[in-house]
Amino acid sequence: MVLAVDDEDRGLDELLYCLRRNGRVRRILTAFDSADALRVLRSNDAELRERSRAGLSPVDVVFLDIAMPGLDGMELGKVLTAFRVPPALIFVTGFDNQSLEAFNVGATDYLVKPPTADRVDEALRRAERLRKPESGMATITPVEDEVIPVELAGTTKLIPRSSIRYVEAQGDYARLHTVEGSHLVRIPLSQLEERWSEVGFARIHRSYLVSLALVSELQMSSSGYSVRLGTGETAIELPVSRRHTRELKDRLVRPPKRGLGPGR
């Protein structure tokens, strides 16, 4: 079940056109602003009551416009993520510069208007992958693989955390390095260190944060320690500062938390 929220008729109609053509969607509810959306979710609708009694989210997915009067989409998103079992959030907006805020709220995806049928289907499939089937219905499960939005010439590309080998500090920005290439994002390295410390990343230098699961060697030379990430032609060597050496050694021999490491 899907709830579509947009205060503009045209925006709502464009979204409904895509949703009604999608075989993944069984039922669509609509709301014209945040207050209306909350009324719908707390209504006496029989199916919504039955889902609540079963311990499920009122709806599986909420498509949210951002720029709305009163409580805007971001604020409503924060309210919905506080539900005991929150729905998946997919933002649909005319602006392409709020994707980072959307993912910080907990968005599953971020679509720029006008949405296309293919892009809506991709967002729904992404939401499905984060849900666990129970008795023919779906419930939200915690997101294990965070995605990082990267702006490329007006397009938002989503980079899975599990694909990132290491992160390099570049002033107030960070460069995410994957096997395929690198992406610059406006997130300080210190913030990523704090967010990813419990999911298998470690600071090895003032300029580098690495995926511990990819460390194949810890090497010592006359100039100090370094780590080798990966093997073969794609392997790379990075320096380890003296202040981070002991913690790195401890973390490399510490048993990883199941289900939290990159790619797990």
Side-chain angles (χ1 to χ4, degrees), residues 86 129-132 139-146 259-260:
R129 289 196 296 270
L130 301 177
R131 306 174 83 83
K132 177 178 65 177
T139 59
I140 294 288
T141 58
V143 179
E144 293 188 352
D145 194 6
E146 181 183 345
L260 291 179

Side-chain angles (χ1 to χ4, degrees), residues 9 17 205 263:
D9 290 339
Y17 176 78
H205 189 275

Side-chain angles (χ1 to χ4, degrees), residues 1-196:
M1 191 189 309
V2 169
L3 171 62
V5 187
D6 197 319
D7 65 313
E8 295 182 353
D9 290 339
R10 180 176 179 180
L12 189 58
D13 288 344
E14 289 172 342
L15 178 58
L16 291 177
Y17 176 78
C18 295
L19 290 172
R20 286 167 178 158
R21 290 161 53 93
N22 194 291
R24 302 174 188 278
V25 180
R26 179 180 56 79
R27 184 183 176 191
I28 306 169
L29 303 174
T30 60
F32 298 101
D33 57 30
S34 296
D36 191 28
L38 292 173
R39 281 194 295 270
V40 169
L41 293 173
R42 294 165 177 164
S43 70
N44 289 323
D45 180 278
E47 186 171 1
L48 267 63
R49 291 202 310 271
E50 181 60 31
R51 291 174 65 94
S52 295
R53 282 196 291 267
L56 304 175
S57 172
V59 296
D60 297 300
V61 182
V62 178
F63 283 83
L64 268 175
D65 184 25
I66 292 179
M68 295 188 293
L71 200 68
D72 67 23
M74 291 294 183
E75 293 168 327
L76 176 59
K78 293 175 183 177
V79 172
L80 298 180
T81 56
F83 280 21
R84 183 171 61 87
V85 183
L89 300 180
I90 299 172
F91 287 97
V92 187
T93 176
F95 305 96
D96 63 0
N97 60 351
Q98 294 178 285
S99 56
L100 178 58
E101 184 181 358
F103 284 98
N104 283 338
V105 169
T108 298
D109 210 334
Y110 182 97
L111 313 184
V112 178
K113 294 180 179 179
T116 64
D118 287 345
R119 191 66 182 86
V120 168
D121 185 64
E122 180 184 344
L124 288 168
R125 284 188 286 109
R126 183 185 298 276
E128 275 187 353
R129 289 196 296 270
L130 301 177
R131 306 174 83 83
K132 177 178 65 177
E134 287 185 5
S135 304
M137 304 183 79
T139 59
I140 294 288
T141 58
V143 179
E144 293 188 352
D145 194 6
E146 181 183 345
V147 291
I148 301 87
V150 176
E151 304 297 335
L152 296 172
T155 300
T156 302
K157 184 174 182 179
L158 305 178
I159 308 300
R161 185 186 61 217
S162 60
S163 71
I164 297 171
R165 305 173 72 199
Y166 68 98
V167 186
E168 181 181 5
Q170 294 192 349
D172 292 333
Y173 291 75
R175 184 168 292 279
L176 312 177
H177 291 267
T178 68
V179 173
E180 291 77 20
S182 66
H183 309 275
L184 192 65
V185 293
R186 192 168 187 175
I187 308 174
L189 189 67
S190 57
Q191 182 178 334
L192 290 178
E193 178 188 7
E194 182 179 351
R195 282 163 54 177
W196 294 356

